[in-house]
Amino acid sequence: MQKHVVGVDVGGTFTDIVCTTSNGFRVLKIPSTPPNFHVGVVEGIERLVTGMNSSATDIAEVVHATTAATNAILERQGATTVLVTTRGFRDVLEIGRLRVPVLYDPMWDKPTPLVPRRHRLEIDERIDSSGVVIRPLLDDDIDSLVERLRSLPVEAIAICLINSYVNPDHERVLAVRLAREFPETHISASEAVLPSIKEFERSSTTVVNAYVAPIMDSYLKSLQSSLIGAGCNGSLFVMQSNGGMLPVGEVIRLSLIH
């Protein structure tokens, strides 16, 4: 009978593993194995459960946390991302909320956006704040967008159209079309990532999602496959920044559209 719950925290330097037992828990701290972090995770789990005279087949759940996405953002090592937005909203990432941490500090510089301006593309569509279509999304405009995207080194696409949180139809049409045109590219649409008011928050969150999605998708799939290969058929969950957790399949689904 499966009896163990394993917690894993993967950092850039060390990986910490904790496993429940019948009378408590046991812990193990090992060096991480970048860039293939999943190798260290699986080897560490096997080492820990073997020392308990058990095996990976006895694991019911693996709860996984990692700073891989955070590190990719801090080190600027995420995917080459393009932002597609409504005409006139190309500079939302640059403008932000017009807040500065120190009001009278003339030396303060805004953080550089994850997507440079040349990789922010506009499309001529418009939905108003009540969800009514003012400017329809035309096939010809999508065709032009596809041609522009083909001229760029695209690894991920973030879609954030104005007021899509009240009417996501244009984003959904665009996401499906771009997924068909770029089947190997990760696509994040704001209506799925953060369907809420405020353009900067929605745009920046969608961009972050797209920026780290290829890294996390590859990592989580490798981890899941390696755990199964080691005999662990227990459920794999991923910790969220809000303290909750999601099944690995749901994390992968929310990160991208293929």
Side-chain angles (χ1 to χ4, degrees), residues 10 31 62 99 112 134 136 170 179 206 227 229:
V10 181
V62 176
R99 298 189 184 119
T112 303
I134 299 175
H170 285 184
T206 306
L227 286 171

Side-chain angles (χ1 to χ4, degrees), residues 239-255:
M239 288 290 296
Q240 297 180 279
S241 59
N242 62 7
M245 61 185 188
L246 282 176
V248 65
E250 185 69 4
V251 174
I252 293 172
R253 185 189 70 80
L254 289 174
S255 294

Side-chain angles (χ1 to χ4, degrees), residues 24-233:
F25 59 88
R26 295 186 65 174
V27 298
L28 177 67
K29 190 181 192 76
I30 58 174
S32 296
T33 56
N36 300 312
F37 289 97
H38 66 281
V39 173
V41 172
V42 176
E43 289 180 352
I45 290 175
E46 289 183 312
R47 176 176 159 189
L48 186 59
V49 295
T50 298
M52 297 163 51
N53 295 318
S54 189
S55 70
T57 59
D58 295 320
I59 296 174
E61 291 181 5
V62 176
V63 181
H64 181 278
T66 179
T67 59
T70 303
N71 291 343
I73 295 170
L74 294 175
E75 297 169 5
R76 298 290 172 134
Q77 293 183 350
T80 301
T81 304
V82 169
L83 171 63
V84 177
T85 189
T86 302
R87 182 168 63 87
F89 289 83
R90 182 184 185 187
D91 295 316
V92 163
L93 290 183
E94 215 95 43
I95 297 170
R97 301 298 294 175
L98 299 178
R99 298 189 184 119
V100 295
V102 182
L103 185 59
Y104 299 109
D105 182 3
M107 305 304 293
W108 181 77
D109 292 322
K110 283 187 176 183
T112 303
L114 294 175
V115 180
R117 197 169 193 269
R118 66 183 179 277
H119 287 174
R120 299 179 222 147
L121 307 182
E122 297 179 336
I123 190 163
D124 196 11
E125 64 80 46
R126 190 63 184 260
I127 291 174
D128 70 13
S129 60
S130 62
V132 176
V133 175
I134 299 175
R135 165 75 179 180
L137 180 63
L138 303 177
D139 288 338
D140 288 346
D141 291 328
I142 299 178
D143 291 340
S144 298
L145 174 67
V146 169
E147 291 307 310
R148 282 182 287 165
L149 285 168
R150 293 195 190 283
S151 67
L152 296 173
V154 181
E155 294 178 326
I157 300 172
I159 304 172
C160 188
L161 304 180
I162 184 71
N163 293 322
S164 63
Y165 68 96
V166 290
N167 183 348
D169 290 350
H170 285 184
E171 276 199 10
R172 290 175 179 173
V173 169
L174 196 53
V176 169
R177 173 68 185 277
L178 294 182
R180 186 168 67 245
E181 298 288 346
F182 304 95
E184 302 302 319
T185 300
H186 294 259
I187 299 173
S188 295
S190 73
E191 61 90 12
V193 175
L194 188 68
S196 65
I197 196 171
K198 296 188 177 181
E199 293 309 306
F200 172 67
E201 285 80 357
R202 193 153 49 86
S203 298
S204 59
T205 301
T206 306
V207 164
V208 167
N209 186 267
Y211 189 74
V212 302
I215 295 172
M216 296 308 298
D217 177 55
S218 175
Y219 170 65
L220 291 175
K221 286 179 178 178
S222 295
L223 176 61
Q224 189 174 36
S225 176
S226 296
L227 286 171
I228 293 173
C232 175
N233 292 308

